[in-house]
Amino acid sequence: MSKAISQVPFAQNEPVNAYSPGSDEVKSLISTYKKMWKEKTEIPMIIGGKEIKTETKIQLTSPHDHHHDFGFYYQGDMSHVDMAIEAALAAKAKWNALGWEQRASIFLKAADLLAGPYRDVINAATMIGQSKNVHQAEIDSACEFIDFLRYNVEFMTELYAEQPVSDPGVWNRVEYRPLEGFCFAVTPFNFTAISGNLPTSMALMGNVVVWKPSDKQIYAAKVTMDVLKEAGLPDGVINMIFTDGKETAERVLAHPDFAGLHFTGSTKVFQGMWKMIGDNIHHYKSYPRIVGETGGKDFVMVHHSANIEAVATALVRGAFEYQGQKCSAASRAYIPKSIWNQVKDLMASQIKTIKIGSPEDPSNYVNAVIDKNSFEKCKAYIDRAEASNDANVIIGGKYDDKKGWFVHPTVIETINPYYESMVEEIFGPILTVFVYEDENWESTLKLVDTSTPYSLTGSIFAQDRYAIDEAYKALENAAGNFYINDKPTGAVVGQQPFGGSRASGTNDKAGSKMNLMRWVSARSIKETFVPAKDYKYPYLG
Ligand code: NAD
């Protein structure tokens, strides 16, 4: 154990590479992309540090070219879930006994590997597997992931330093133990950073983990495991399995040693898992921790005093970057009639310049949506809007699945604030706008607050400070991440801790001390230096 109270390196946000046309950094990334595009990668599960291959090979295809397969992964079954749980539990005692500096060091090294030799590799894997352009890959799989790793180490030491006062003659301490048993991380397709953060934040706090990534994010998940191995993560601490989500959840959540769920994904899946945990509550050795960050229907609420260029730009960036596949993406906007035409024209002229295609060409701002299901879902919303009396497709509305799952940036205008695309999460490049009469500002704030079950992110645009204050108060519970005169996406670790409430999650703020608190179970220790030797208190005479 440690013989010093060491300080960890001061955490700072990883600088974002600009990837300007012709720069060395963009040449290097695109050449890595081209090389990896041609390779046929083979991805085994990693259980107890071993590569696990099965008879079932699942082809990997790219969203922007669904005829191009870049390899395959080995799919597992319930025997592999059992193996992963056993491997995690077998690794537990040694990992728990390791000093915190040793754990911190592994994850700090992983951050440096990602910032250096693995930067192009993890970015290219994210571009190929998840169809992110150079900028979207950089801010996710490089910078945000690195930030999670570094800031979590700093937050861990802040948490450990939180200690109680002691009366004279007594020394009180609090020790932050990992949870008893094993933890379960289930991660989404859309962020390599989130996918990496969920298992690593739990492991950093001394836990052992079974990790099931999304089958749409397996390429970058593999790179994450490669990095963790090179950083020195001991075998069995994080076990990565490729198994069916529902069946795996049923298996894992019925295990008596299940200790905590770290989930990010859709609301419905999380609610199903919470229910399973409730049904199994009598079987567990301890009450499991449940953390879930889920869906959103993120708003942009505009006051007539708002700056028009700022509103149009925030809507275009907020709604269409990464094809709207961010839980924080702007997907409903409320715009006053007096400025709507100007906002609309400006948005239309910006959207006209957007290029769509493969991330191999860095000038493409919009790439493909993740898969056929997502494509069909977007298409259906667009087709229904075209046919509806309540809605009009005013910008975009095109889609094309010949080569990849391409949906063009689309704006729907509706006269019904409860129209389906105004209240349901689509998770694609579709923004719906409700135009309100300027004098209905107050009642529209109510609509923003109450018309969806979600509460993830939201923005308010205004120059009038009284209007900002009014919206700030009226929308207190409408968003876990609230923006004033900025788009509702792009939260930065250490700056805007991320998460929402209501149907959007447990709001445990990924990449913060609040989140790490969920993966420890505190033990209070009171030591008395000179214990009493007689039961009689002074009041007994
Ligand atoms: P998803 O819910 O389809 O899948 C998430 C994970 O759950 C995957 O690993 C998947 O394989 C697994 N899964 C699927 N069905 C399951 C089941 N029945 N039981 C157990 N596990 C199951 O989500 P997705 O499409 O990967 O990601 C998009 C969703 O994630 C959106 O709803 C988005 O808003 C949300 N999201 C939220 C945040 C946040 O921080 N709030 C961040 C990113 C994504």
Side-chain angles (χ1 to χ4, degrees):
M1 285 293 179
S2 176
K3 294 174 187 66
I5 301 171
S6 20
Q7 278 187 346
V8 294
F10 178 65
Q12 278 177 306
N13 291 116
E14 176 66 14
V16 178
N17 277 346
Y19 297 109
S20 307
S23 61
D24 287 346
E25 61 207 24
V26 82
K27 281 186 201 149
S28 163
L29 175 53
I30 296 300
S31 89
T32 305
Y33 174 102
K34 286 181 174 161
K35 183 171 155 281
M36 287 169 62
W37 181 258
K38 276 191 247 138
E39 287 166 1
K40 294 278 181 250
T41 180
E42 174 187 340
I43 309 181
M45 294 180 279
I46 305 289
I47 302 177
K50 293 196 177 60
E51 294 192 348
I52 306 293
K53 302 178 180 180
T54 64
E55 297 298 307
T56 317
K57 296 177 183 177
I58 308 285
Q59 201 180 58
L60 291 160
T61 58
S62 186
H64 43 275
D65 185 350
H66 44 63
H67 303 296
H68 175 78
D69 83 271
F70 56 90
F72 63 88
Y73 68 89
Y74 293 99
Q75 190 170 42
D77 56 29
M78 291 310 104
S79 69
H80 300 103
V81 176
D82 294 344
M83 267 172 79
I85 295 172
E86 276 161 32
L89 291 172
K92 186 163 180 64
K94 239 176 142 180
W95 183 239
N96 184 27
L98 198 66
W100 68 262
E101 298 94 331
Q102 313 300 337
R103 278 187 270 128
S105 192
I106 291 167
F107 295 105
L108 290 171
K109 177 167 178 174
D112 275 16
L113 288 168
L114 287 165
Y118 279 88
R119 194 183 200 107
D120 282 352
V121 177
I122 200 149
N123 280 342
T126 301
M127 291 163 72
I128 293 169
Q130 292 141 263
S131 202
K132 291 202 174 194
N133 62 34
V134 289
H135 176 68
Q136 293 302 317
E138 169 75 4
I139 59 174
D140 164 22
S141 45
C143 300
E144 188 175 355
F145 192 6
I146 293 164
D147 289 349
F148 274 135
L149 291 163
R150 290 184 179 148
Y151 274 91
N152 278 341
V153 165
E154 186 165 301
F155 295 142
M156 173 180 72
T157 61
E158 285 175 16
L159 185 61
Y160 285 179
E162 278 177 24
Q163 292 296 326
V165 295
S166 299
D167 275 347
V170 162
W171 185 12
N172 293 321
R173 277 114 71 189
V174 167
E175 178 183 50
Y176 297 90
R177 304 166 302 180
L179 305 180
E180 274 192 285
F182 72 93
C183 292
F184 186 31
V186 181
T187 56
F189 80 83
N190 66 331
F191 273 90
T192 297
I194 295 176
S195 182
N197 178 50
L198 267 47
T200 55
S201 54
M202 293 192 291
L204 172 68
M205 301 313 290
N207 295 287
V208 288
V209 184
V210 173
W211 172 29
K212 200 212 79 60
S214 162
D215 53 357
K216 306 288 179 316
Q217 194 264 334
I218 279 178
Y219 200 6
K222 174 217 182 292
V223 179
T224 297
M225 284 305 275
D226 291 346
V227 168
L228 292 173
K229 189 175 175 61
E230 191 166 332
L233 187 73
D235 295 347
V237 173
I238 295 178
N239 303 279
M240 178 177 68
I241 51 172
F242 308 140
T243 47
D244 176 76
K246 185 157 182 288
E247 264 189 274
T248 306
E250 280 164 1
R251 192 82 166 193
V252 169
L253 301 179
H255 198 288
D257 289 305
F258 164 66
L261 169 66
H262 207 182
F263 175 84
T264 298
S266 58
T267 300
K268 202 167 147 221
V269 169
F270 183 54
Q271 291 179 349
M273 290 170 92
W274 193 307
K275 188 164 182 308
M276 283 183 212
I277 294 170
D279 289 342
N280 281 305
I281 201 72
H282 301 290
H283 304 309
Y284 301 134
K285 293 183 184 162
S286 44
Y287 293 106
R289 299 284 163 87
I290 309 174
V291 171
E293 298 305 334
T294 58
K297 189 69 194 171
D298 309 297
F299 61 83
V300 173
M301 173 58 170
V302 182
H303 186 253
H304 62 76
S305 66
N307 178 292
I308 286 156
E309 287 86 359
V311 171
T313 302
L315 288 173
V316 171
R317 285 187 169 177
F320 304 129
E321 280 182 319
Y322 192 38
Q323 298 76 263
Q325 298 173 121
K326 300 188 183 189
C327 50
S328 56
S331 62
R332 54 181 172 129
Y334 301 79
I335 305 191
K337 202 169 180 179
S338 60
I339 62 168
W340 169 228
N341 280 337
Q342 286 166 279
V343 172
K344 181 168 61 179
D345 292 348
L346 207 51
M347 271 170 63
S349 66
Q350 291 194 11
I351 292 170
K352 226 173 21 198
T353 65
I354 288 178
K355 285 180 61 188
I356 300 163
S358 161
E360 186 180 329
D361 175 355
S363 68
N364 286 326
Y365 187 78
V366 165
N367 312 111
V369 298
I370 193 72
D371 61 7
K372 186 173 176 19
N373 280 346
S374 169
F375 178 85
E376 295 295 342
K377 188 175 178 186
C378 293
K379 180 171 173 274
Y381 273 98
I382 292 170
D383 292 350
R384 285 197 299 273
E386 299 271 19
S388 168
N389 291 329
D390 276 359
N392 263 324
V393 177
I394 56 165
I395 299 173
K398 286 200 292 182
Y399 40 77
D400 179 0
D401 63 351
K402 276 195 288 299
K403 184 163 189 201
W405 310 116
F406 291 107
V407 179
H408 289 232
T410 296
V411 182
I412 296 172
E413 183 182 346
T414 182
I415 52 169
N416 172 7
Y418 297 97
Y419 180 68
E420 59 170 19
S421 64
M422 199 68 195
V423 294
E424 294 166 13
E425 185 182 50
I426 304 173
F427 226 57
I430 300 173
L431 168 72
T432 306
V433 176
F434 173 69
V435 181
Y436 69 90
E437 299 291 340
D438 290 34
E439 62 269 25
N440 291 344
W441 158 253
E442 252 173 67
S443 58
T444 308
L445 282 174
K446 225 179 209 93
L447 267 179
V448 174
D449 187 34
T450 57
S451 56
T452 85
Y454 299 107
S455 169
L456 191 49
T457 75
S459 302
I460 130 94
F461 276 83
Q463 301 291 335
D464 177 336
R465 189 41 70 170
Y466 288 119
I468 293 174
D469 187 52
E470 208 182 338
Y472 180 79
K473 288 171 180 155
L475 301 175
E476 179 180 352
N477 293 308
N481 283 61
F482 187 74
Y483 294 81
I484 301 168
N485 291 320
D486 204 344
K487 65 182 167 59
T489 60
V492 173
V493 177
Q495 297 196 37
Q496 299 99 22
F498 191 80
S501 55
R502 296 184 182 162
S504 292
T506 54
N507 200 17
D508 289 291
K509 300 293 188 202
S512 78
K513 202 161 52 170
M514 291 173 264
N515 181 280
L516 299 186
M517 282 286 294
R518 305 301 310 275
W519 312 122
V520 291
S521 176
R523 173 164 77 144
S524 295
I525 301 138
K526 176 189 178 191
E527 180 174 352
T528 299
F529 296 128
V530 185
K533 304 248 172 70
D534 181 355
Y535 85 93
K536 284 185 190 143
Y537 292 104
Y539 76 90
L540 294 172

